[in-house]
Amino acid sequence: MPGMTDWQRDINEELRRERWSLHGPNRIVKVLPLGAGAAAALGGYITVGSSLVGKTPSEIERALGLKRNYLLAGAKIHRFSRLPMSYEYEYELTAAYPGGLAFNAAHSDPAYPAGSAAIHQWRIKDGVQIPVDATSYLELRPTERFPYNWLA
């Protein structure tokens, strides 16, 4: 926030509450390629399920700014068993900012294009993994669309 000192920004960051849930449209999810192995816990980038509703794997890939053909065979979407604690993640703006930075063709990794400015993303910090429901994940074939009812 403009005009704030470093300590004021730190306090503001600690007090911010994400509008996440473990059920419903604000459910946090992790997107992996179809065929990814079983997992008990995951890290990396996450988003909310409502951002994916109605999209095919290729549309999800473009919207999230993932590597080209990352979801070519389909997508595997995981639900988390608990919400991340404030010290376990960083807000990385929207998918339009790969790695939380403005995309610049001259300096950015071309493998990770800018995604949608409407999709917020967070990064689970390095070395941290959040438990997922290993028995209840969604497998989307290339032509299937992400169903809203899976978020309930």
Side-chain angles (χ1 to χ4, degrees):
M1 301 217 139
M4 292 179 125
T5 64
D6 286 345
W7 69 268
Q8 288 171 321
R9 262 191 299 280
D10 288 344
I11 289 173
N12 188 50
E13 179 71 21
E14 288 301 317
L15 294 175
R16 186 181 80 220
R17 297 286 180 246
E18 306 300 348
R19 298 184 59 155
W20 295 336
S21 69
L22 293 176
H23 305 282
N26 289 330
R27 174 190 294 271
I28 55 170
V29 298
K30 171 73 178 174
V31 177
L32 294 172
L34 189 63
L42 293 167
Y45 283 84
I46 62 173
T47 191
V48 292
S50 61
S51 299
L52 309 178
V53 170
K55 292 179 174 60
T56 64
S58 63
E59 292 168 338
I60 292 170
E61 177 181 290
R62 284 190 303 279
L64 294 179
L66 299 173
K67 285 184 177 182
R68 185 181 162 127
N69 295 326
Y70 183 70
L71 301 177
L72 182 65
K76 184 176 185 181
I77 318 293
H78 282 276
R79 299 173 169 158
F80 287 89
S81 300
R82 71 166 176 84
L83 298 176
M85 306 299 284
S86 63
Y87 57 86
E88 295 179 313
Y89 70 91
E90 295 175 338
Y91 176 57
E92 293 288 343
L93 304 174
T94 67
Y97 297 93
L101 302 171
F103 184 81
N104 179 324
H107 303 289
S108 298
D109 183 345
Y112 293 96
S116 169
I119 298 180
H120 292 270
Q121 62 182 359
W122 296 265
R123 185 181 65 80
I124 304 300
K125 291 181 178 180
D126 293 340
V128 175
Q129 295 212 326
I130 308 299
V132 293
D133 181 346
T135 62
S136 181
Y137 50 84
L138 174 66
E139 290 187 342
L140 287 179
R141 305 286 179 236
T143 59
E144 294 177 323
R145 296 190 175 276
F146 189 104
Y148 178 83
N149 64 352
W150 187 79
L151 296 173

